[in-house]
């Protein structure tokens, strides 16, 4: 079908008194692609009595359209016209929840009209063609039903095969039942053999009981023998102890005799000794001098102790005052802990890990801010948001990221952090001197009402202009209208109220709002900073004085230690001289003492011969008892081994049981009988199994049946006993019980069949899910990977990093699948997921914009609109994003693009394919018929040259 290229016009008329209606205007033709326009691009937008426009026409370009204008001029009105003209709903316009169109019509007008001229390839088109996508959805559903009808025969074939397998299984069950019935005669023979073995087993039990009784008595006699053996060991141990004691006595006697000889020899060698009395007197004179020096040092030490006590008293007084100030700070910390538990936990971690940070890190502002007068605390708390009052302040960005990684990512704590400006703003002067405001009742700016560290004050001046917000009195309240009109300040405080003044975006009207001040909650505790600083200086001075006294006392103690060492040396010398004087007398005394000890040891002699004779007698008596016990032991052994007939061989001291041979003979006879019975049963089993004589291989079907039974005789016996017990339990049952059993057995079979069917259906369902998942997930992964490549390239061009992936905690929860965006804006950090908490507002805007750009080449659409996406960006990121948007939107085969912004950076790189639409609209703007574009350009050129 030969389709001509047509340009379509869509008209949308709004009426306040009637429902909205649409009308189609005649279409007009154009050639080619209208200078680069693709199908669906907007060629012209016409608005009459629509929002801020009485009448306006906009002619977008085919590529990137920059719509630039101040706030309130009508940039967003163009977006509203595009949306409304293409059958959009008013709810998506972000202009309230009104159900009618009346709020979109210019005031004092009854109707409004929006016309869009679009480039569409259709021979004939109407307004309803905008909604063709709903028909496409129905067609897709019908195609899905056709695909299902094609797949259904394959399922029916698989189902029939399953029915055949089930039928074969039922036939095998019937064969198994017949085999079990054929096995019953063999089982009866086995039971008959068991009944023949019972008399033999009874005889063995009686014999075993007699042997067990005799064995028990043998064990008792054996235990008695063990006891007597231990008794003999104890007697011999006593003898050994007496022998060891006598040997030790002999050694001590010899040692004492040698010592006496040595002392006598030393006494003989001493001879005559000179008088040592003069030497002792000289030593006493030196000792008196040392005592005098020590007494002098002790007096000086007493004076130092008094000085130290006084210094300690002053130091304790200062520390008590500091402790009082710390207690006041503890009140603040208690309020923080009770209200913000996570912040308090992070505070404790910070105090334990301050050495991990390079720059200054300040505790939450409510702890470091000190209001000079508690009456003014309500102004500070009203002006600074609570989220910032509990925020940590950082000097460096990398320190903040390290802190947040630990407390928020690892410990999962909800805390707030801020960064102080790189250039300090704490000393920034107010916009006007305070003297000019005093006639209005103002007495101070907020900054002068409290103290804070340098970086904290800098942040508050930068963020909340505490240096430029005045605080007034009741006088200010009484003349508030004059204050607002004449001073034109954005925010002021009176005695009990806060006033916020704003200027309308659409006119010069001034709008003010006021709110009552709430009592302070966190800053009521006031600490005098000057007093605290003076107290710290006094503490340092007192500590230095105590340290000086300690040093002097250490020096005196060293001198005292030297004197003590000299005193000890003299006293040791005096002791040595005194010992020489009395050494002879001491030697004589020692010799006498040793001789007395020797006589005492010689008198304590032990008669080992008598003790050995007594020991032998005791051992002989015990051995006689052991002989009696052994005779009884042998008698019991005869009963154990030789009942009923026993031959005794005294020379071997053993018994031979003749009865054992009788038992063995009976066992052989029983074995032969059992073997013959088994052979008979084997022949009978071969006949039942239709086996030829001599054939040993069991038929395959019987082998399969026997494989389900136990392999050992013990296990077969256990199974037979279990079946016997079960059969005995069924004696005396009524017919009703049997019938109930059969009925339940049929129900169980039906339920098993139903379970098999549902199991197979579930298996098929899971297989279908797996196949559907592959058909859905693999193309989706491929699409996300394509988005990721574009997204990663955009971030790499900005010297940053970013990734996009398909993420889900559980692969089977399909409603939990989602796109995860991870970004990194600094080389020192890792990739972090894009969240409202980790990145700044500008970083989130950059990431969102680049993600939309990555989607652009994969999702073809006639045009795109982005409204003020650059508002939260810093200049560096805004310039980078602008370059990417220009390069992408102005490429080959790209869609139409509308980029709306109230401001642009200077010296941006523009492309030839761009269209700049500057919006000049408002009550104080020139009318369109008086506007001269050429005059405006000439004026701008002259200003640039000058």
């Amino acid at each position: 079908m030969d389709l001509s290229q047509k340009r379509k016009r869509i008209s949308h008329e709004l009426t306040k008194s009637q429902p909205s209606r649409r009308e189609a205007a005649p279409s007009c033709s154009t050639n080619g692609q209208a200078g680069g326009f693709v199908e669906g691009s907007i060629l012209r937008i016409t608005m009459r009595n629509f929002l801020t426009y009485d009448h306006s026409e906009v002619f977008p370009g085919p590529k990137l359209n920059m719509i630039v204008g101040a706030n309130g001029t009508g940039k967003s009105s163009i977006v509203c016209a595009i949306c409304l003209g293409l059958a959009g709903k008013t709810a998506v316009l972000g202009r309230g929840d009104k159900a009618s169109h009346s709020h979109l019509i210019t005031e004092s007008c009854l109707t409004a009209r929006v016309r869009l001229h679009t480039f569409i390839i259709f021979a004939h088109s109407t307004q309803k063609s905008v909604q063709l996508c709903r028909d496409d959805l129905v067609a897709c559903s019908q195609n899905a039903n056709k695909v299902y009808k094609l797949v259904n025969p394959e399922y029916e074939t698989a189902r029939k095969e399953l029915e055949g397998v089930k039928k074969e299984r039922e036939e095998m069950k019937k064969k198994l039942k017949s085999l079990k019935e054929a096995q019953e005669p063999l089982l009866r023979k086995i039971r008959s053999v068991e009944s023949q073995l019972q008399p033999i087993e009874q005889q063995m039990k009686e014999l075993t009981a007699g042997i067990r009784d005799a064995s028990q008595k043998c064990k008792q006699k054996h235990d008695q023998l063990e006891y007597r053996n231990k008794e003999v060991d104890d007697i011999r141990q006593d003898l050994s102890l007496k022998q060891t004691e006598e040997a030790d006595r002999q050694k001590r006697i010899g040692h004492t005799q040698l010592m006496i000889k040595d002392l006598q020899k030393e006494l003989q060698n001493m001879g005559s000794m000179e008088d040592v009395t003069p030497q002792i007197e000289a030593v006493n004179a030196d000792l008196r001098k040392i005592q005098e020096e020590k007494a002098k040092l002790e007096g000086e030490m007493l004076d130092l102790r008094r000085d130290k006590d006084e210094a300690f008293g002053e130091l304790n007084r200062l520390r008590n005052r500091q402790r009082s100030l710390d207690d006041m700070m503890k009140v603040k910390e208690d309020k923080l802990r009770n209200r913000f538990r996570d912040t308090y936990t992070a505070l404790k971690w910070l105090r334990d890990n301050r050495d991990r940070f390079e720059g200054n890190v300040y505790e939450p502002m409510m702890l470091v801010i000190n209001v000079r007068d508690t009456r003014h605390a309500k102004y500070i708390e009203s002006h600074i948001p609570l989220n910032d009052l509990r925020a940590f302040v950082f000097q460096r960005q990398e320190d903040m990221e390290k802190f947040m990684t630990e407390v928020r990512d690892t410990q999962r704590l909800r805390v707030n952090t801020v960064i102080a400006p790189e250039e300090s703003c704490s000393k920034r002067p107010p916009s006007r001197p305070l003297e000019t405001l005093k006639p209005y009742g103002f007495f101070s700016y907020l900054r002068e009402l409290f103290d804070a560290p340098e970086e904290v004050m800098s942040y508050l001046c930068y963020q909340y202009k505490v240096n430029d917000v005045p605080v007034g009195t009741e006088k200010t309240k009484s003349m508030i209208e004059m204050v607002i009109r004449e001073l034109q300040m954005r925010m002021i405080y009176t005695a009990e109220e806060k006033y916020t003044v704003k200027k309308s975006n659409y006119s010069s009207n001034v709008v003010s709002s006021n709110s009552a001040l709430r009592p302070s909650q966190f800053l009521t505790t006031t600490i005098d900073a000057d007093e605290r600083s003076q107290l710290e200086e006094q503490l340092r001075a007192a500590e230095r004085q105590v340290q000086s006294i300690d040093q002097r006392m250490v020096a005196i103690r060293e001198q005292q230690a030297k004197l003590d060492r000299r005193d000890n040396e003299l006293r040791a010398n005096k002791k040595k001289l005194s010992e020489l004087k009395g050494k002879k007398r001491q030697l004589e005394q020692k010799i006498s003492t040793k001789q007395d000890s020797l006589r005492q040891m010689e008198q304590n002699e032990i008669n080992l011969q008598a003790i050995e004779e007594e020991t032998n007698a005791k051992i002989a008596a015990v051995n006689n008892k052991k002989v009696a016990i052994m005779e009884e032991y042998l008698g019991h052994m005869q009963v154990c081994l030789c009942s009923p007939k026993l031959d005794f061989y005294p020379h071997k001291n053993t018994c031979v049981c003749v009865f054992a041979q009788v038992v063995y003979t009976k066992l052989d006879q029983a074995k032969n009988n059992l073997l013959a019975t088994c052979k008979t049963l084997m022949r009978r089993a071969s006949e039942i199994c239709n086996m030829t004589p001599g054939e040993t291989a069991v038929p395959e079907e019987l082998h399969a049946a026997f494989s389900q039974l136990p392999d050992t005789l013990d296990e077969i016996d256990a199974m037979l006993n279990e079946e016997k017990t079960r059969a005995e339990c069924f004696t005396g049952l009524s017919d009703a019980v049997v019938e109930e059993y059969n009925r339940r057995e049929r129900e169980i079979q039906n339920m098993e069949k139903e379970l098999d069917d549902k199991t197979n259906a579930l298996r098929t369902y899971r297989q279908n899910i797996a196949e559907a998942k592959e058909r859905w997930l693999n193309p989706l992964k491929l699409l996300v990977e394509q988005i990721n490549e574009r997204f990663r390239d955009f971030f790499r061009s900005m010297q940053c990093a970013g990734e996009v992936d398909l993420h889900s905690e559980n692969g089977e929860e399909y409603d939990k699948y989602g796109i995860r965006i991870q970004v990194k804006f600094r080389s020192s950090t890792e990739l972090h997921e894009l969240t409202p908490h980790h990145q700044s507002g500008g970083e989130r805007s950059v990431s969102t914009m680049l993600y939309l750009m990555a989607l652009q080449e994969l999702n073809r659409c006639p045009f795109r609109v982005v409204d003020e996406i650059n508002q939260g960006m810093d200049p560096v990121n805004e310039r980078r994003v602008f370059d990417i948007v220009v390069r992408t939107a102005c490429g080959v085969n790209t869609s139409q693009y509308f980029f709306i912004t109230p401001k642009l950076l200077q010296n941006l790189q523009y492309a030839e394919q761009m269209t700049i639409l500057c919006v000049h609209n408002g009550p104080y703007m020139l009318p369109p018929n008086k506007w001269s574009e050429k005059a405006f350009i000439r004026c701008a050129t002259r200003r640039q040259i000058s």
Side-chain angles (χ1 to χ4, degrees):
M1 180 178 180
D2 186 14
L3 298 179
S4 61
Q5 296 175 345
K6 296 293 184 179
R7 182 171 57 183
K8 172 187 172 185
R9 182 178 67 181
I10 300 174
S11 175
H12 196 165
E13 183 176 306
L14 311 178
T15 307
K16 286 186 175 179
S17 58
Q18 299 177 354
S20 62
R21 65 181 187 273
R22 298 184 178 91
E23 62 178 14
S27 60
C28 55
S29 62
T30 184
N31 296 325
Q33 284 193 342
F37 287 99
V38 299
E39 182 181 359
S41 298
I42 298 175
L43 303 177
R44 184 171 64 181
I45 306 170
T46 304
M47 296 169 281
R48 288 187 181 275
N49 301 329
F50 184 73
L51 289 172
T52 57
Y53 295 106
D54 295 332
H55 175 240
S56 178
E57 286 187 307
V58 181
F59 296 90
K63 298 295 184 180
L64 177 59
N65 293 273
M66 300 293 297
I67 303 179
V68 185
N71 289 331
T73 56
K75 303 183 304 300
S76 297
S77 299
I78 300 175
V79 179
C80 292
I82 295 174
C83 180
L84 199 61
L86 293 175
K89 303 296 182 182
T90 57
V92 304
L93 300 180
R95 292 182 173 264
D97 56 355
K98 302 176 183 179
S100 67
H101 294 148
S102 59
H103 66 291
L104 301 175
I105 302 174
T106 304
E107 189 176 356
S108 74
C109 296
L110 296 178
T111 62
R113 176 170 294 182
V114 175
R115 289 184 177 177
L116 298 182
H117 292 256
T118 60
F119 185 79
I120 301 179
I121 307 177
F122 280 111
H124 300 284
S125 61
T126 63
Q127 179 67 25
K128 189 175 181 180
S129 62
V130 180
Q131 302 175 353
L132 289 176
C133 59
R134 291 160 191 166
D135 297 335
D136 292 339
L137 290 176
V138 176
C140 290
S141 177
Q142 295 174 351
N143 290 335
N145 292 332
K146 293 179 180 179
V147 172
Y148 173 78
K149 292 178 181 179
L150 292 175
V151 175
N152 192 40
E154 297 181 2
Y155 167 77
E156 186 64 24
T157 301
R159 188 186 63 80
K160 291 181 179 179
E161 292 178 356
L162 177 62
E163 292 297 331
V165 172
K166 288 183 178 180
K167 186 177 296 183
E168 291 178 2
R169 185 181 65 176
E170 292 299 327
E171 293 177 356
M172 293 302 297
K173 286 183 178 179
K174 293 178 180 179
K175 289 183 179 180
L176 177 62
K177 183 178 180 181
S178 62
L179 290 174
K180 288 183 178 179
E181 293 176 351
Q183 187 185 12
E184 182 61 26
L186 179 62
L187 296 177
R188 286 197 297 270
K189 292 295 183 180
I190 293 175
R191 287 194 291 268
S192 175
V193 172
E194 288 179 349
S195 63
Q196 296 175 11
L197 289 175
Q198 288 180 354
I200 298 174
E201 291 178 353
Q202 182 61 30
Q203 294 177 6
M204 292 299 294
K205 288 180 180 178
E206 294 174 357
L207 178 61
T208 302
I211 294 173
R212 186 183 301 110
D213 181 63
S215 299
Q216 182 66 26
K217 292 179 180 179
C218 289
K219 183 179 184 302
Q220 294 176 356
K221 296 304 177 180
H222 181 269
D223 293 340
Q224 292 178 4
L225 287 173
E226 289 295 328
Y227 175 77
R228 295 304 177 185
N229 290 333
K230 185 177 183 300
E231 187 176 0
V232 171
D233 293 337
D234 293 340
I235 294 172
R236 289 173 177 170
Q237 181 69 21
D238 293 339
L239 175 62
S240 177
L241 291 175
K242 292 294 184 179
Q243 293 172 344
T244 302
E245 183 179 353
E246 175 62 18
D248 291 340
R249 189 183 69 84
Q250 293 295 336
K251 288 182 181 178
R252 285 188 283 110
I253 289 174
H255 181 67
T256 303
Q257 290 174 346
L258 290 176
M259 290 182 64
I260 291 173
K261 290 181 181 178
D262 292 339
L263 290 173
Q264 290 175 345
K265 183 176 180 181
E266 186 177 358
L267 181 61
Q268 293 174 359
N269 294 333
M270 288 186 64
S272 60
M273 187 171 55
E274 59 178 322
D275 189 10
V276 294
T277 302
Q279 299 178 23
I280 294 176
E281 292 178 352
V283 171
N284 288 335
D286 293 338
L287 288 173
R288 285 193 294 271
K289 291 181 181 179
I290 290 175
Q291 293 299 325
E292 292 174 357
E293 293 180 3
K294 292 175 66 176
K296 181 179 178 181
L297 292 176
E298 186 62 30
E300 185 175 354
M301 181 66 76
L302 289 175
D303 294 337
L304 288 175
R305 288 196 184 99
R306 285 193 295 270
D307 294 340
K308 185 174 181 179
D309 291 340
E310 294 177 358
F312 257 114
E314 177 65 11
L315 183 61
N316 289 333
R317 184 187 67 80
L318 296 173
R319 285 176 176 172
N320 288 336
R321 178 55 184 162
Q322 187 184 42
R323 194 175 297 111
S324 176
L325 296 179
D326 292 339
D327 290 341
M328 297 171 67
M329 179 61 70
K330 187 176 182 300
V331 173
K332 288 187 173 183
E333 294 180 5
D334 290 341
K335 291 181 179 180
L336 177 67
R337 183 183 67 249
N338 295 333
R339 183 69 179 276
F340 308 106
R341 176 67 64 175
D342 286 2
T343 303
Y344 182 77
T345 303
L347 171 65
K348 293 193 296 185
W349 182 88
L350 173 65
R351 290 176 175 175
D352 295 336
N353 298 273
R354 283 191 179 273
D355 55 343
R356 296 176 60 176
F357 302 97
E358 298 179 1
N360 294 332
V361 182
Y362 296 98
E363 298 177 356
M365 293 188 195
M366 64 175 62
L367 299 182
V368 299
I369 289 178
N370 182 53
V371 181
R372 299 174 182 176
D373 189 340
T374 56
R375 295 174 299 175
H376 301 150
K378 59 185 178 182
Y379 302 122
I380 310 304
E381 286 195 22
S382 176
H383 192 72
I384 303 174
L386 187 58
N387 284 339
D388 274 3
L389 281 177
R390 64 187 181 96
F392 296 82
V393 182
F394 289 82
Q395 184 185 22
R396 298 188 176 184
Q397 175 76 23
E398 54 270 20
D399 285 347
M400 186 185 75
E401 293 177 354
K402 185 187 300 181
F403 178 81
M404 293 300 284
T405 299
E406 173 62 30
V407 303
R408 189 188 61 189
D409 296 346
T410 302
Q411 301 185 25
R412 301 295 183 184
L413 300 178
R414 294 177 294 179
V415 298
N416 292 344
T417 58
V418 298
I419 298 180
E422 294 183 0
E423 183 178 354
S424 178
C425 303
S426 61
K427 304 299 182 182
R428 181 181 292 177
S431 59
R432 61 190 77 189
L434 182 63
E435 296 298 328
T436 62
L437 303 181
K438 287 185 176 181
Y440 300 95
F442 294 103
F443 65 91
S444 175
Y445 284 103
L446 284 177
R447 180 177 58 186
E448 280 64 45
L449 299 181
F450 66 96
D451 298 311
E454 173 71 15
E455 281 82 1
V456 177
M457 185 64 79
S458 175
Y459 172 81
L460 294 177
C461 290
Y462 174 81
Q463 186 68 25
Y464 299 111
K465 307 295 187 296
V466 295
N467 62 307
D468 205 22
V469 177
V471 182
T473 59
E474 288 296 335
K475 179 181 178 181
T476 310
K477 168 66 176 176
S478 62
M479 52 190 308
I480 189 63
E481 293 183 1
M482 182 186 301
V483 171
I484 293 174
R485 183 177 65 256
E486 295 183 359
L487 297 182
Q488 296 185 357
M489 304 190 76
R490 294 187 175 181
M491 186 175 296
I492 58 177
Y493 286 89
T494 63
E496 298 295 337
E497 292 181 317
K498 173 183 178 181
Y499 284 83
T500 303
V501 182
K502 293 183 179 179
K503 193 173 182 181
S504 174
N505 292 329
Y506 306 102
S507 65
S508 61
N509 296 334
V510 175
V511 180
S512 65
S513 61
N514 65 313
S515 59
L517 298 178
R518 293 192 298 268
S520 174
Q521 301 181 48
F522 304 100
L523 302 180
T524 53
T525 304
T526 301
I527 301 175
D528 191 341
D530 294 335
E531 180 187 0
R532 189 180 184 91
S533 177
Q534 184 178 3
L535 179 63
E536 292 175 354
E537 181 61 33
Q538 291 175 351
L539 274 171
R540 288 192 291 270
E543 290 171 352
R544 287 195 297 269
Q545 183 179 3
V546 172
Q547 185 179 5
S548 176
I549 295 173
D550 287 338
Q551 291 175 353
R552 177 58 184 157
M553 292 177 71
V554 169
I556 292 176
R557 290 193 185 97
E558 291 177 355
Q559 295 179 7
Q560 289 176 333
K562 290 181 180 178
L563 293 176
D564 288 338
R565 288 193 295 271
R566 178 57 180 163
D567 183 88
N568 293 334
E569 292 174 358
L570 292 173
R571 291 184 185 276
N573 190 21
K574 180 181 177 180
K575 181 179 179 181
K576 183 177 180 181
L577 294 173
S578 299
E579 289 175 352
L580 288 175
K581 189 174 182 180
K583 188 173 182 179
K584 183 175 181 180
R585 180 174 55 83
Q586 292 175 358
L587 286 174
E588 292 174 350
Q589 185 176 359
K590 288 182 179 179
I591 292 173
S592 178
T593 301
K594 293 296 181 183
Q595 288 175 344
D596 293 340
S597 299
L598 180 61
R599 284 191 296 271
Q600 183 67 30
M601 286 185 290
E602 290 174 347
Q603 292 176 359
N604 295 332
E605 182 179 4
I606 299 175
N607 191 350
L608 291 178
Q609 183 177 0
I611 293 175
E612 289 176 356
E613 292 176 355
E614 182 181 359
T615 299
N616 292 332
K618 291 180 179 179
I619 293 174
V622 173
N623 287 334
N624 290 332
K625 295 179 181 179
K626 290 171 61 178
V627 170
I629 294 171
M630 192 63 186
E631 290 176 352
E632 296 177 358
Y633 179 82
L634 293 176
H636 293 308
M637 286 291 292
Q638 290 176 355
V639 174
C640 179
L641 298 176
C642 301
S643 177
K645 182 178 179 181
L646 181 69
D647 294 335
F648 183 67
Y649 300 88
H651 63 282
K652 293 184 177 179
N653 198 22
T654 60
C655 298
V656 177
C657 184
V658 177
F659 179 71
Q661 296 296 329
V662 176
V663 174
Y664 291 149
T665 302
K666 291 184 178 181
L667 289 176
D668 287 340
Q669 292 176 356
K671 183 180 69 173
N672 294 330
N673 293 335
L674 180 62
L675 181 60
T677 303
C678 289
K679 289 181 178 179
T680 303
L681 294 176
M682 190 66 184
R683 287 194 299 271
R684 179 58 179 162
S686 299
E687 294 174 358
I688 294 174
C689 296
N690 295 324
M691 297 173 60
T692 59
E695 185 181 359
T696 59
V698 180
E700 184 64 30
E701 60 273 10
L702 295 179
H703 185 273
F706 292 154
S707 63
Q708 305 297 324
L709 300 175
D711 295 330
T712 64
L713 184 60
D714 293 337
E715 291 176 341
I716 292 175
D717 291 340
M719 177 179 288
L720 289 173
N721 292 331
E722 181 180 353
E723 295 298 330
K724 288 177 183 179
T725 304
R726 188 177 301 170
E728 291 172 357
C729 294
F730 286 112
T731 59
L733 293 179
S734 63
D735 294 337
V737 175
V738 176
E739 183 179 357
E740 178 67 16
Y741 170 79
N742 294 330
R743 185 184 64 80
R744 293 198 175 186
E745 186 176 19
R746 289 192 297 272
E747 290 181 355
I748 292 174
Q749 292 175 353
N750 294 333
M751 292 176 67
E752 289 178 348
K753 181 178 183 304
E754 184 179 357
L755 178 62
D756 291 340
D757 295 341
K758 290 185 177 181
T759 302
N760 294 329
L762 178 61
R763 187 182 303 108
T764 303
Y765 177 71
R766 287 179 175 172
Q767 184 177 358
N768 293 337
I769 288 179
E771 294 175 356
K773 180 179 178 181
E774 290 185 2
R775 293 194 301 269
W776 161 74
L777 188 58
N778 292 337
L780 180 59
K781 287 183 178 179
L782 180 60
L783 178 62
V784 173
E785 182 58 31
Q786 294 174 356
I787 298 173
N788 180 45
E789 291 179 3
R790 297 293 299 159
F791 189 75
R792 191 163 47 197
D793 293 340
F794 287 146
F795 264 83
R796 189 181 298 114
S797 66
M798 297 171 53
Q799 286 76 48
C800 300
E803 291 183 358
V804 175
D805 63 353
L806 187 64
H807 178 71
S808 178
E809 297 294 337
N810 187 350
E812 301 301 326
E813 296 181 0
Y814 304 108
D815 57 334
K816 301 296 179 62
Y817 275 86
I819 295 295
R820 180 174 60 180
I821 300 177
Q822 295 179 299
V823 296
K824 181 178 75 170
F825 285 89
R826 283 162 291 278
S827 58
S828 59
T829 62
E830 299 295 331
L831 283 169
H832 286 281
E833 187 173 356
L834 187 65
T835 64
H837 309 291
H838 195 278
Q839 293 84 8
S840 64
E843 292 171 348
R844 294 197 300 272
S845 297
V846 171
S847 304
T848 303
M849 187 61 193
L850 295 184
Y851 179 69
L852 294 177
M853 298 299 295
L855 290 176
Q856 176 172 318
E857 296 185 0
L858 300 176
N859 183 19
R860 305 294 298 175
C861 62
F863 61 88
R864 289 180 173 83
V865 179
V866 179
D867 193 358
E868 298 190 10
I869 191 66
N870 60 335
Q871 281 299 85
M873 300 181 189
D874 58 89
V876 175
N877 286 329
E878 183 177 355
R879 189 176 299 277
R880 291 172 174 174
V881 171
F882 181 84
D883 292 340
I884 293 175
V885 172
V886 172
R887 185 169 61 253
T888 304
C890 295
V892 181
N893 296 326
T894 56
S895 304
Q896 195 177 33
Y897 212 99
F898 292 89
F899 192 102
I900 301 174
T901 178
K903 51 92 175 182
L904 283 176
L905 299 174
Q906 296 182 353
N907 301 322
L908 293 174
Q909 298 295 326
Y910 296 89
E912 292 293 336
Q913 297 85 352
M914 290 175 59
T915 301
I916 310 298
L917 302 174
C918 296
V919 181
H920 292 274
N921 186 28
Y924 301 101
M925 302 300 295
L926 284 176
N929 55 2
K930 295 184 179 180
W931 171 261
S932 175
E933 181 181 358
K934 294 182 179 179
F936 174 78
I937 294 176
R938 285 198 303 270
C939 181
T941 303
R942 285 197 299 270
R943 287 184 179 180
Q944 186 174 9
I945 294 175
S946 61

